[in-house]
Amino acid sequence: MSFTAAILTLYPEMFPGPLGLSLAGRALGEGRWRLDPVQIRDFAKDRHRSVDDTPAGGGAGMVMRADILAAALDATTARHPDLPVLAMSPRGAPLRQARVRALAAGPGAILICGRFEGMDERLFEARAIEQVSLGDFILSGGEMAALTLLDACIRLLPGVMGAASSGDEESFESGLLEYPHYTRPVEWEGRTIPEVLRSGDHARIAAWRHAEAERITRLRRPDLWERQRGAPVRSPSGARQKDEG
Ligand code: SAH
């Protein structure tokens, strides 16, 4: 069974785009995921094929019409009744690795990409749609957000990454940012790789990496640090345990 990404967009030619290369591109060629781009404009009703209109109440820009988006969405859900529907929006819940993992474990997703000022709010009242945000910044459209979300999911699909990088130790997987990495040459511009990493002592290396992960998380992401101190976290073995903090 492969992961299906159905994308509602005004720019279907943006897909697969960068996901046609490298890991994701190979996985696409191997049929581990598939793409069903939907041109929203094909569901327009007038001869100008318009999908947007001026904002009610006035103001700058244009708003994507609920009726046309719903027609495009309904046709897509009819083809993929088992897929969850997500809309890319700076007003959505911030996307986190746990959500990415859950999506990657499922059958795929229908992703709605906004343009202009966004979409008529009634769409979200009338259909079950999860709104997700990539972060506190504004993109010009949802396509880059959809590509990013898909990239994060595709690398987790079975057979896409080598066993060596199962992803378990990466930033966020443990509730912490990852420890720093080094590789040869041992000395570069007068800086040497930390001695502990060259010691061959696996217990010391693990302890050092954990301490560094904690130090960096505290420093750069006090929000993550607080959350991980309060919540049960996953031990490296995958079992749940209460963090000692
Ligand atoms: N006027 C809106 C922004 C619209 S940007 C506001 O202030 O909230 C146009 C489209 O780009 C959005 O509909 C959405 O699909 C996409 N987009 C912009 N920023 C995004 C973000 N941070 N995360 C996910 N999608 C985003």
Side-chain angles (χ1 to χ4, degrees), residues 73 84-89 91-96 98-100 102-103 109-112 119 123-124 127-133 149:
L73 179 58
V85 183
L86 280 66
M88 304 298 111
S89 165
R91 297 163 65 227
L95 183 66
R96 292 198 219 292
R99 186 72 191 104
V100 167
L103 284 171
I110 297 173
L111 304 178
I112 310 176
M119 314 172 207
L123 179 72
F124 303 111
R127 299 289 184 277
I129 300 173
E130 175 186 346
Q131 299 186 58
V132 295
S133 169
L149 187 157

Side-chain angles (χ1 to χ4, degrees), residues 62 64 87-93 112-119 124 131-146:
M62 299 294 273
M64 296 178 85
M88 304 298 111
S89 165
R91 297 163 65 227
I112 310 176
C113 303
R115 281 275 157 179
F116 322 120
E117 291 308 314
M119 314 172 207
F124 303 111
Q131 299 186 58
V132 295
S133 169
L134 284 202
D136 295 343
F137 48 83
I138 305 294
L139 299 167
S140 56
E143 289 77 10
M144 300 280 203

